[in-house]
Amino acid sequence: MRILISADMEGVTGVTFGGDVLPGSPGWQRFRPVFTGDVNACVEGLYAGGATEVIVNEAHSSQRNLLLEDLDVRARMLTGRHKPLSMMQGVGSGVDGVVFLGYHAAAGQDGVLAHTYLENSVTGVYLDGVLASEGRLNAALAAEHGVPVLMITGDDRCCVDAQDYVPDAEHVAVKECVSRYAAICLPPARAWELIRTGAEKSMARAGRVATAPAPHRIEVEFDATHLAAAAAVIPTVEQIDVLRVGFDAPDMTEAMKCFKIVCAIASGAKEPDWG
């Protein structure tokens, strides 16, 4: 049983503030070992549940955050940016399950550091008409490859969101949202035990299933008109309102590739002070 861990950082134990996950900041340096601890607890649980191989895909920002030197020696790590499927790179490599670790709620939802890809320019992403978190988008991509989502870890709002799109997965809340920048947090040792237990239990759902690709539509709403106008220059992307763009794709893999381009173009169109 080969398992993929898609490891984000905003939903990691103790993380509550932008500085906690901003590469190079003191807070980021503080939480890198905690992030690695969350991953190691997951790896331990997956092996206890029957995994024979675990690969960890770094999915946060620079995608160079985890401490390789402290990683469980049984795991392998995919690190660095510019992967074709970004957070989900490796989902099509024959894995039998995926874990969403350190995930968070969507832009437009309440949750600790809630956002979808861009921290503060995207106010909502809609997959086939439904407000979508990164987890919902990635779960749709996993489903296209026949890969079950085994477990999600993050704050309680992230887990509530996940109960809607993968109700049969394990949902492990390591903190309770108070506001976008505040949470009631578990000490790492307690959080790691929950993650370890959840990961072991989740292995009962591992195993690929046969699926067929299907078309999808993604719409993205921004907080400024020029970002929508910038994204609309992409072929196949249409501006459907002053703040919103949309596009259709023949399958979820192509939809996610186009969504990445939309976010990259919008990010490049932002001005430092005015957004």
Side-chain angles (χ1 to χ4, degrees), residues 238-259:
E238 59 175 337
Q239 187 166 359
I240 54 180
D241 201 349
V242 291
L243 294 173
R244 186 180 289 224
V245 299
F247 59 89
D248 296 296
D251 55 50
M252 196 60 197
T253 299
E254 293 303 311
M256 287 303 291
K257 288 179 179 178
C258 189
F259 176 59

Side-chain angles (χ1 to χ4, degrees), residues 17-252:
F17 187 64
D20 296 341
V21 297
L22 180 65
S25 70
W28 173 76
Q29 291 288 9
R30 174 192 172 197
F31 279 103
R32 291 180 76 194
V34 182
F35 185 16
T36 307
D38 278 20
V39 168
N40 282 341
C42 184
V43 172
E44 184 177 342
L46 292 173
Y47 273 103
T52 57
E53 183 181 349
V54 176
I55 183 165
V56 182
N57 178 21
E58 279 218 51
H60 174 69
S61 188
S62 65
Q63 299 175 14
R64 300 178 185 275
N65 310 280
L66 289 167
L67 299 173
L68 179 62
E69 57 271 32
D70 293 334
L71 189 68
D72 188 305
V73 297
R74 295 169 293 183
R76 294 186 298 152
M77 184 168 72
L78 172 58
T79 184
R81 295 184 61 194
H82 309 304
K83 309 159 190 166
L85 292 181
S86 190
M87 301 179 78
M88 292 296 285
Q89 188 67 31
V91 72
S93 64
V95 294
D96 299 289
V98 61
V99 171
F100 296 165
L101 184 137
Y103 272 43
H104 48 82
Q109 293 178 328
D110 194 18
V112 177
L113 297 178
H115 70 284
T116 307
Y117 270 68
L118 300 183
E119 294 87 347
N120 57 11
S121 299
V122 170
T123 58
V125 176
Y126 298 84
L127 175 62
D128 301 324
V130 179
L131 183 67
S133 60
E134 292 169 12
R136 184 181 290 272
L137 294 170
N138 292 342
L141 183 56
E144 180 168 284
H145 289 272
V147 177
V149 178
L150 305 181
M151 180 174 77
I152 301 93
T153 79
D155 73 351
D156 57 327
R157 306 302 173 86
C158 168
C159 291
V160 169
D161 177 51
Q163 285 168 1
D164 185 57
Y165 63 82
V166 281
D168 295 332
E170 295 297 311
H171 308 106
V172 178
V174 300
K175 54 196 171 189
E176 180 183 340
C177 174
V178 173
S179 74
R180 181 172 168 83
Y181 301 121
I184 300 170
C185 300
L186 293 173
R190 289 180 59 193
W192 294 341
E193 184 56 36
L194 291 176
I195 294 171
R196 187 181 301 111
T197 301
E200 181 176 0
K201 185 178 178 182
S202 77
M203 281 299 297
R205 297 188 63 247
R208 292 190 303 279
V209 298
T211 59
H216 292 278
R217 180 171 179 80
I218 291 180
E219 296 187 3
V220 184
E221 190 168 78
F222 297 99
D223 66 356
T225 58
H226 71 289
L227 302 183
V233 304
I234 303 166
T236 76
V237 176
E238 59 175 337
Q239 187 166 359
I240 54 180
D241 201 349
V242 291
L243 294 173
R244 186 180 289 224
V245 299
F247 59 89
D248 296 296
D251 55 50
M252 196 60 197

